Amino acid sequence: GKIYECKTWPASDYCKMEAYSPLNTDAACNGDVCWHQAWTYVGGCTGTNSPTATPTFDAANVEGCPEEYETGTDYGEGDKVSVTPEGEAFGKIYECK
């Protein structure tokens, strides 16, 4: 998956707009996609992880998936949202800066 962070204000105002979603591939900003004006690509996951010999579970640190992204919602710094693209089994998590 890919990880994006919402840029700081004033660019953060765009993070809640569908046109600026990293999933939007429309070239709506002078012939280019708009997401890079509001979001910073942080990185992604590559390779594989080997299982540990003795898996552990810390119930105090279980977060689960954040709420699904909703267009028009007022997100603030530190807010996390999830987005599952149509036709994909796994979603992505975004965090506002």
Side-chain angles (χ1 to χ4, degrees), residues 3-60:
I3 301 170
Y4 299 86
E5 289 182 326
C6 183
K7 293 183 178 182
T8 58
W9 186 86
S12 62
D13 285 347
Y14 295 118
C15 293
K16 58 187 170 190
M17 297 180 188
E18 184 67 28
Y20 292 86
S21 166
L23 299 177
N24 190 334
T25 58
D26 295 337
C29 292
N30 295 321
D32 198 5
V33 294
C34 300
W35 73 261
H36 56 81
Q37 294 179 24
W39 298 89
T40 301
Y41 174 72
V42 176
C45 300
T46 59
T48 61
N49 290 331
S50 299
T52 60
T54 310
T56 60
F57 176 74
D58 183 1

